[in-house]
Amino acid sequence: MLSRVANSLYWMSRYIERADNTARLVDVSLQLSLDLQHFDEHTLDSHWLPVVQSAGDETLFSALHPIPTSDAVIEFLVFQTENTNSILSSVMLARENARMVRDQIPNEFWEELNRLYLFLRSAGARASFRSDPTQFFQEIKASALHLQGITHATVVRNEGWRFIQAGKYIERADKTSRILDVRHAAFPARGAPGAITQAGALEWAAVLRSCSAWDAYQALHGAEILPAHVADLLLLSEDFPRSVRFSVQQLNTALRRISGVGDESFSNDAEKLSGRLLAELFYGTTDEIFDQGLHTYIDALQTKLNTIGEALFRTYILHAFQQIEDDQIRQQEEQQQQ
């Protein structure tokens, strides 16, 4: 497969997953802020700032919004095109990557992605957001699920499919960890969190709902919210499809199907690093995570995911581009010698 095609499919998938996760995070944070109405404006701002910090965009946000307010955070995360991680920017970039590989994706997929793009660019999107923000975010989440459904139902299981899967699951693992880290200021530096307050329980429940994990949590643990159980479900669950371990398992499988290497070996750094991270998640426990410190653990986890993404780029994208350039230079030299 051409490196240009692989790169576009990979990033198209990542940006759709990013838009979906940001919509989930802002939607639940907005609903949670309604439960904090009795607090002052400073408390509400403190509620929103960690959402920006969880995305790693606080420097850009501060530059664009010197006075942090709830409205500024929502605008930054949803509509602001200067923020390349906003929902609108993510959908625009997904569409741009999809446009470059139109012959590799189903027409239904392109039409749905184009419909979501035109909706977000329309005046009706802001009107919908102002009148019923929950319905607005539901529109984005439903569209993302629709795109995933079309992909599962119609895309041939070839290399293109595997790059789509790799993009989706590395982004999902990263975003699930960031959502879990959104209340990192409340975590102890080391050790498990102590007894949680009613407000704390609401925030942990919001973390679960942001990952569509509330029903799965209740089925496993009932209504009582314990941080250790939340961390176990979102980080280490083998079966929950939005957990970090499940996502890394799918990423590792996609990478090995691309190269044809079995689980017991590896042929490049991306496979080696993803296999190593999967083993750590397989054998890890929440006690070990809390001993290290949840925020410290998540920081290290995100670094490992970034390193896997960089290794994938070096293996399949950058190397191929360099090879093409080398081939072109060699052909030019041969022609000059004739």
Side-chain angles (χ1 to χ4, degrees):
M1 165 168 280
L2 293 175
S3 59
R4 176 185 60 80
V5 174
N7 190 50
S8 293
L9 292 172
Y10 172 78
W11 280 106
M12 175 193 75
S13 184
R14 284 199 71 160
Y15 283 123
I16 292 171
E17 185 71 21
R18 187 170 300 178
D20 179 31
N21 280 278
T22 303
R24 292 171 183 276
L25 181 59
V26 179
D27 182 26
V28 173
S29 297
L30 191 57
Q31 292 180 39
L32 184 59
S33 70
L34 300 178
D35 295 326
L36 303 176
Q37 283 181 340
H38 59 286
F39 292 124
D40 57 23
E41 185 66 22
H42 173 72
T43 305
L44 285 173
D45 293 343
S46 300
H47 163 77
W48 280 106
L49 280 179
V51 178
V52 175
Q53 291 166 347
S54 72
D57 293 326
E58 58 267 36
T59 302
L60 177 61
F61 175 78
S62 299
L64 294 172
H65 302 280
I67 302 175
T69 64
S70 304
D71 289 342
V73 172
I74 293 172
E75 174 69 17
F76 180 76
L77 293 174
V78 178
F79 291 111
Q80 195 143 28
T81 52
E82 290 87 345
N83 173 19
T84 56
N85 292 321
S86 71
I87 293 173
L88 176 55
S89 293
S90 296
V91 172
M92 289 171 62
L93 291 167
R95 180 178 178 273
E96 182 62 22
N97 278 280
R99 188 184 61 76
M100 291 189 283
V101 289
R102 282 283 285 111
D103 58 337
Q104 302 287 323
I105 58 176
N107 279 334
E108 290 174 279
F109 185 97
W110 170 253
E111 289 170 1
E112 175 58 25
L113 182 55
N114 215 32
R115 188 200 64 78
L116 178 60
Y117 164 77
L118 293 173
F119 165 70
L120 285 170
R121 296 274 293 180
S122 71
R126 284 188 178 272
S128 172
F129 176 74
R130 285 193 295 270
S131 63
D132 189 349
T134 298
Q135 181 57 39
F136 170 81
F137 290 118
Q138 181 59 34
E139 171 83 20
I140 297 166
K141 291 185 287 183
S143 184
L145 289 172
H146 190 180
L147 290 167
Q148 290 178 17
I150 294 171
T151 307
H152 274 274
T154 62
V155 173
V156 175
R157 269 43 173 181
N158 55 13
E159 281 190 348
W161 159 265
R162 285 155 194 143
F163 277 105
I164 290 173
Q165 296 304 295
K168 177 172 78 173
Y169 282 109
I170 195 171
E171 183 70 25
R172 183 173 294 182
D174 178 78
K175 285 295 177 290
T176 295
S177 72
R178 291 181 185 278
I179 290 171
L180 180 58
D181 199 36
V182 74
R183 298 297 170 211
H184 67 264
F187 299 161
R190 289 180 181 275
I196 56 175
T197 62
Q198 184 177 2
L202 284 173
E203 293 185 351
W204 282 102
V207 168
L208 288 167
R209 293 203 302 274
S210 296
C211 299
S212 295
W214 178 241
D215 292 329
Y217 180 90
Q218 284 192 307
L220 289 169
H221 303 294
E224 184 182 8
I225 297 178
L226 296 177
H229 288 166
V230 176
D232 184 68
L233 177 64
L234 296 184
L235 291 175
L236 303 179
S237 172
E238 180 182 5
D239 304 313
F240 180 58
R242 303 192 72 86
S243 79
V244 173
R245 177 179 166 184
F246 186 96
S247 300
V248 173
Q249 171 72 67
Q250 299 302 314
L251 167 65
N252 187 56
T253 299
L255 291 174
R256 290 168 190 282
R257 294 294 180 275
I258 291 171
S259 67
V261 170
D263 293 338
E264 72 284 354
S265 184
F266 61 86
S267 64
N268 56 58
D269 284 346
E271 293 167 6
K272 179 180 71 175
L273 294 169
S274 67
R276 180 181 296 166
L277 177 56
L278 181 60
E280 292 173 6
L281 292 164
F282 182 85
Y283 292 107
T285 66
T286 52
D287 286 342
E288 293 170 345
I289 291 171
F290 283 127
D291 285 345
Q292 183 179 352
L294 185 56
H295 181 57
T296 302
Y297 176 86
I298 290 174
D299 260 357
L301 174 64
Q302 289 166 359
T303 299
K304 292 171 184 173
L305 290 169
N306 289 338
T307 306
I308 294 171
E310 291 166 2
L312 187 153
F313 179 77
R314 285 197 306 273
T315 302
Y316 293 108
I317 312 298
L318 180 63
H319 176 68
F321 275 130
Q322 289 177 332
Q323 195 170 43
I324 290 172
E325 291 175 354
D326 290 345
D327 289 345
Q328 289 174 340
I329 292 171
R330 188 177 65 254
Q331 289 173 3
Q332 290 171 356
E333 289 175 345
E334 289 174 353
Q335 289 171 353
Q336 288 171 350
Q337 291 171 358
Q338 288 175 352

